[in-house]
Amino acid sequence: MALISEKFNDALNAQIQEELYSAYLYLGMSYWLKEHNYNNLGEWYFIQYNEELAHAYKFMDYIVETGGSVKLLALDSPKIDWKNVEEIVNAAYGHEQHITGKINDLVILAEELKEFAPRELLQWFISEQIEEEASSSELVNRQKEFHNDMLFDHHTHRVSGSTTSEE
Ligand code: OFO
């Protein structure tokens, strides 16, 4: 018998869809920024795109390990007609707040179902969302402080794996 319940398996498949949509959203942001010569910011969101894929893989691996079944649900097209950099950083922060809510819903569901196996996985995502919100709100603040998006771009760097954008 599978360690994962059908209900929790369905919820994780929905979360995989959220993570893949996040990846798609950040990929669109990345290329909008690159098209408009904000190359460092474009790279920042490209790294974020890859992080979101890694989040989806983490849920998929858990489903397989616990005897469940991975479903890849359809993705909507993300917004790509951004007005400016400010709109992007604000949307990214809002999106991360939305994802934090989804992770919290999974925690609540696991408790309701008395499903304890995913505790470590969910704790990892709770901590990850603290970082995700911190790094995306930091970009919102830095964009405001610079008053000049080219300068903001020039001073924003991110290496793969780090969540900060400092110079
Ligand atoms: Fe997967 O954390 Fe961002 O969306």
Side-chain angles (χ1 to χ4, degrees):
M1 192 175 128
L3 200 56
I4 190 169
S5 68
E6 204 178 315
K7 202 159 177 190
F8 200 68
N9 194 154
D10 288 347
L12 288 192
N13 279 324
Q15 187 61 30
I16 289 165
Q17 183 186 35
E18 292 276 353
E19 300 294 344
L20 292 176
Y21 177 79
S22 302
Y24 214 18
L25 176 69
Y26 291 132
L27 186 64
M29 289 176 173
S30 172
Y31 277 89
W32 185 95
L33 289 159
K34 289 180 182 183
E35 275 169 35
H36 293 80
N37 299 316
Y38 299 112
N39 291 322
N40 290 327
L41 284 163
E43 191 53 26
W44 201 98
Y45 284 102
F46 191 77
I47 291 169
Q48 189 61 33
Y49 152 72
N50 276 307
E51 277 207 3
E52 299 302 343
L53 292 180
H55 293 171
Y57 303 149
K58 221 171 162 67
F59 283 118
M60 290 183 207
D61 288 345
Y62 176 82
I63 291 174
V64 171
E65 268 169 23
T66 53
S69 157
V70 171
K71 280 203 183 77
L72 294 178
L73 304 171
L75 298 180
D76 288 334
S77 287
K79 177 177 168 67
I80 48 160
D81 56 338
W82 301 102
K83 277 203 296 278
N84 50 35
V85 173
E86 183 183 13
E87 194 185 20
I88 288 181
V89 294
N90 284 328
Y93 180 38
H95 184 70
E96 287 307 328
Q97 291 175 308
H98 162 78
I99 295 295
T100 299
K102 293 288 171 187
I103 298 295
N104 291 344
D105 288 346
L106 287 175
V107 174
I108 293 164
L109 180 65
E111 278 179 16
E112 276 171 11
L113 295 170
K114 297 198 180 355
E115 197 150 331
F116 303 119
R119 271 193 183 170
E120 204 180 308
L121 175 80
L122 294 176
Q123 186 53 53
W124 187 91
F125 276 98
I126 290 169
S127 304
E128 178 68 5
Q129 281 313 116
I130 294 172
E131 279 183 27
E132 296 278 77
E133 285 206 28
S135 60
S136 55
S137 80
E138 183 191 324
L139 281 189
V140 169
N141 293 333
R142 282 164 60 83
Q143 191 274 334
K144 272 198 208 107
E145 281 159 14
F146 270 104
H147 299 293
N148 176 321
D149 286 336
M150 273 300 158
L151 263 186
F152 171 45
D153 180 71
H154 183 73
H155 289 278
T156 300
H157 299 283
R158 179 176 182 178
V159 281
S160 195
S162 94
T163 52
T164 51
S165 55
E166 290 301 333
E167 184 171 276

